Amino acid sequence: MYINGAWCTPKSNATFDVFNPANGKKIANVADGTEIDARLAIDAAGSAFPSWSKSTAYQRATFLTNAHRIMLSRKDVLAEIMTIEQGKPLKAARNEVQYAADFLLWYAEEAKRINGEILPSARPDQRFMVLHQAVGVVAAVTPWNYPISMITRKIAPALAAGCCIVLKPAEATPLCAIEMFKIFKEANIPNGVVNLVTAKDPKPIGEEFTTNPTVAKITFTGSTAVGKMLACQAGAHMKRISLELGGHAPFIVCEDADPVHAAKGASLVKFLNTGQACISPNRFLVHTSAYDAFIDTLSTRVAKMKTGSGFEDGVSIGPLINQAAIDKVNRQVTDAVEKGAKLITGGMQLTEGRLADGHFYAPTVLADVTPDMLIYREETFGPVAPIIKYDDNDDVLAMANDTTYGLAAYVYTQNLGRAMHMFEGLRFGIIGINDINPTSAAAPFGGMKDSGLGREGGKPGIMEYLETKTAGLSI
Ligand code: ADP
């Protein structure tokens, strides 16, 4: 763990094991922290806050650009650790490192643009001034599916705003977090500004984060169930909170879309990270006129995808994170097939030869999916593309919005009016229009409904770490 600028062991001296999901082998053992260690880390962040929050934006930007430079110089090492620990193919891991580094640079620049305002008053002798200041100590909890970019997406804006932070990464991927903190240390970020507590059991740490009076704000990325629970705990102590939770993204292929182009996009975005992404499409709503061509192209491409270790050449489908993830996918696919879905390709755990010791599932396409199937409502977090046919253009928006989630949505259409209509009508926070990667450090990312609160990235991403103060001034 990394507390107050020093590497340390937990008070209990306990450790836990980390495994490679591609072969089940143990790769490391890591400090198993408890609420006692979390408290020490929060105290360190609290002590560092007065001077860090008073440092100039230019000073804070320098630390972030240092970290950005070191990070890019370590791109290959970071990517290899990610592939070993999380499983994604090496090329995808490198892309994630680049995306993660972008946040450090973007927020280094944005630190200098935390502008205030002077507002006119209805009284001639009065002016209003508006000032934005760091909220204080931030406690962050991150997931395993994007184990580096989810860290910088929180730490970069928090530090740029003048906050100090304590991070608890996911228990499946602490090594990526440890590697990032080596970078923060080398970037000379002052003691106590960034702190890392690793733990096998997240619950006591979450309780400490949400109840400790020094913590002003919680930022969480993970499941909706845990996010809601943390929001309740944080609410009882009136802590600010941002939540980036689950999704159930629709991918709409309109009557006027090119079904082959749409299917190519679908094959790329659905199977990215083996479907383990909150913005992964989970319902392909395809117009009758495009249905057969879409399925043809998609299934041909999917059948050719190579599954295996992320270190093997040509592999695009890595392992799922654990057996529980495989079981969930299996349950949804079996349920859909029992209720009449057509299995076009895939549909089983892969256990032959070199895949035997890992958690592999064949990339799967299911056609004729209907609303009575589990997969129509539940987030899958696995490599399954469920396809639903629709007839009536007036219905599809309501079908897409018929979910408790509201994170990402995708639309393929060549009609500009329809694209605008969809953009305005979809109750989702991130919308790809003929585009499968609507994310960037510069663009707000976040959801509606059960997909969360607040935004990460872009200008709104730094506002999450700032309080707004108003002064009325008599002149
Ligand atoms: P997943 O099911 O995808 O692993 P989780 O929401 O369980 O999603 O995990 C996301 C992050 O939330 C991880 O860092 C995990 O350790 C953490 N987490 C899980 N349960 C709790 C909890 N009760 N309190 C605080 N953090 C938690």
Side-chain angles (χ1 to χ4, degrees), residues 318-366:
L320 288 167
I321 194 70
N322 53 32
Q323 187 57 38
I326 297 260
D327 295 343
K328 182 176 185 195
V329 172
N330 244 332
R331 186 167 54 82
Q332 289 189 2
V333 171
T334 308
D335 167 83
V337 171
E338 276 171 13
K339 291 177 179 157
K342 241 191 263 159
L343 186 60
I344 310 284
T345 182
M348 84 284 283
Q349 181 166 5
L350 298 173
T351 52
E352 297 283 302
R354 71 200 200 302
L355 304 183
D357 297 323
H359 310 295
F360 294 97
Y361 196 90
T364 299
V365 177
L366 282 176

Side-chain angles (χ1 to χ4, degrees), residues 360-379:
F360 294 97
Y361 196 90
T364 299
V365 177
L366 282 176
D368 300 347
V369 167
T370 50
D372 55 323
M373 300 171 189
L374 288 176
I375 203 161
Y376 193 91
R377 302 250 161 238
E378 280 184 7
E379 186 178 33

Side-chain angles (χ1 to χ4, degrees), residues 140-145 168-173 199-207 209-210 220-227 229-230 233 245 321-322 379 381:
V141 177
T142 50
W144 49 263
N145 60 340
K168 191 212 75 66
E171 51 276 25
T173 53
K200 184 169 175 56
D201 180 6
K203 203 159 180 287
I205 313 262
E207 280 165 9
F209 281 0
T210 48
F220 172 80
T221 299
S223 62
T224 295
V226 173
M229 196 198 65
L230 290 176
Q233 290 173 11
L245 309 176
I321 194 70
N322 53 32
E379 186 178 33
F381 238 62

